[in-house]
Amino acid sequence: MDIDLAPGQGLVVTGGRGSGKSSLLRAVMGLAGPGGDTTVFGARPGSPDALRRIGWAPQSWPFTYGVRTGEAIRMVAALKGYGPEEAARAMDEAGFTAPAKFAPLLEIEEARQASLACALIGTPDLLVLDDPWEFTQTDTAIHRALDRGAAVLVASSEPGGLLGILGVSITLKDGRRA
Amino acid sequence: MSPTSALSIISSVEFRAIIRRRWFLISIAVGAALIVTGTIFAGGRDGIPRFDALRAWTLAVEVIGGLVVSACLGASVANRDADGGWFGLQVATGTTRAVVTLGRVLGRVLVLVAIFAVWMALAWLCGVLIGNGSDWPLIVTGFAGIGNMLVVLTVAALCSVALGPVSSGVMGVLAYIVSLALVNMSSAAEADVIGTSWSGLISSLYFIFPRGIVSPLVADLQARDVAGLAAPRVEVNGNIVFIQPASWATVIWTLGWCALLALAAAGAMRRRALS
């Protein structure tokens, strides 16, 4: 599979369940899977320098038990070198309004917004969104990222309006480009 | 973000997350209830038996409760959070996997110390209330218990990279049993109550692997056979074996092993798939 994502470009990866969309994104992030010849910002996937330039929104509930969601988002901000005010701004931009809730108690919509907030911390040069729900805030955040020259990579089985915003899409089937 | 700052952030978040969990509060409460029960039991006695009774109850809480807690803490370092996305979320910030792993281990070590601190403080207070005075040997035994449980925690942490939580916890407990068995068998070898063909092997293993840390108090209780189920008297081939208290070299050796196991867990996480 050959994918080249330049600054200011968007790409939607679509496909059915188990087609390899999330695996592709995790490979880009260096979290799992074979890296192959992939380079992200000129470095191997998963290199700390490359990861610091990426905003990552994992799918489903990425938070552990016992952590308040706002606390988790502030932790992500702190590890990226930002203060709590930046975490608050990202939560606001993502439309997330339940920072005091523990992760298991989040509604699915809130979990997707919290995940998006993690990705919006700072000014990432690449947004990687795994199964984002299409809230107004999602569309706005993608528009803003593209406008400032960041690249946006999205995986979604039902991309809806995201196809129109990002323009380019590829479809996966059984881990290969269909 | 320096590795030290990242380590501090991750360990403090993990610490707060764990102390809010129900099982943490239940562990502290059950241990405290058993120590209070032991105090009531001990309070009905006089002299040395009063000391022995409270010490044996406290020792039982620290060994059995400590094993459960440390196995649970170590076994949750990687597997579920690595598969569930939490570990990946931390790594995706640009923090190295090694630092994330060590931060998670450190957070759990702090939880273990916090639990033991509560139990030790309560046992000390109970001892004062029933007239035992400040029982410093019991405090020293608590610190020895923390050292032993660090072996369980770090072995379980290393196993949690590849195994499920239950298997990892069992491996941690097995490591504790082996570390104590090595101390017991080494003492038996020194006392010439086992065959010479085994002595060489036991001595070799004793000098290589982590060793159980036996406090002077536990050695004394064991010798008089009043330590209860947590530290029964050691008999080999019908001979009573007197266990010597751990030397400082043993303490340093075992803690060094714990540090090595934590680093091994950090290294093993380098190639583990994350969600």
Side-chain angles (χ1 to χ4, degrees), chain B:
Chain B
M1 175 65 53
S2 71
T4 318
S5 302
L7 200 66
S8 165
I9 291 167
I10 292 168
S11 59
S12 64
V13 168
E14 293 295 326
F15 177 80
R16 285 201 299 273
I18 294 169
I19 62 171
R20 289 176 186 143
R21 302 288 302 279
R22 198 170 295 154
W23 70 261
F24 169 81
L25 299 171
I26 291 172
S27 301
I28 286 196
V30 169
L34 287 171
I35 290 170
V36 170
T37 306
T39 306
I40 294 167
F41 180 72
R45 299 175 169 212
D46 289 318
I48 299 296
R50 189 178 64 206
F51 278 86
D52 289 345
L54 180 57
R55 287 168 168 178
W57 274 80
T58 305
L59 185 61
V61 168
E62 289 177 352
V63 171
I64 298 168
L67 279 174
V68 172
V69 166
S70 54
C72 290
L73 288 170
S76 61
V77 164
N79 40 49
R80 282 184 181 161
D81 281 344
D83 295 333
W86 176 241
F87 204 113
L89 191 66
Q90 294 171 325
V91 169
T93 60
T95 311
T96 63
R97 290 178 180 224
V99 170
V100 172
T101 309
L102 291 175
R104 294 171 62 82
V105 171
L106 180 60
R108 282 157 174 77
V109 169
L110 295 175
V111 172
L112 179 69
V113 171
I115 290 175
F116 264 74
V118 171
W119 290 343
M120 287 159 66
L122 182 64
W124 178 83
L125 183 64
C126 287
V128 170
L129 288 176
I130 63 171
N132 285 1
S134 292
D135 195 346
W136 296 116
L138 193 55
I139 299 292
V140 171
T141 301
F143 282 114
I146 292 174
N148 287 327
M149 295 312 149
L150 283 177
V151 174
V152 180
L153 192 155
T154 50
V155 167
L158 175 59
C159 292
S160 76
V161 176
L163 303 178
V166 176
S167 306
S168 303
V170 168
M171 293 299 287
V173 173
L174 284 177
Y176 170 79
I177 292 169
V178 169
S179 71
L180 272 188
L182 284 175
V183 172
N184 293 347
M185 295 307 287
S186 175
S187 295
E190 283 180 16
D192 289 331
V193 296
I194 57 174
T196 50
S197 57
W198 285 102
S199 296
L201 174 66
I202 288 166
S203 296
S204 304
L205 294 175
Y206 178 80
F207 282 108
I208 294 171
F209 289 112
R211 306 161 196 161
I213 302 172
V214 179
S215 73
L217 174 64
V218 170
D220 172 57
L221 294 176
Q222 261 186 317
R224 293 189 289 116
D225 200 17
V226 292
L229 285 174
R233 172 181 271 177
V234 179
E235 289 187 25
V236 177
N237 297 329
N239 300 292
I240 296 170
V241 177
F242 295 101
I243 308 299
Q244 296 301 310
S247 64
W248 278 108
T250 289
V251 174
I252 292 167
W253 182 259
T254 299
L255 293 181
W257 256 102
C258 294
L260 195 67
L261 287 162
L263 290 172
M269 279 305 293
R270 288 181 62 188
R271 296 200 173 277
R272 202 221 194 261
L274 301 174
S275 289

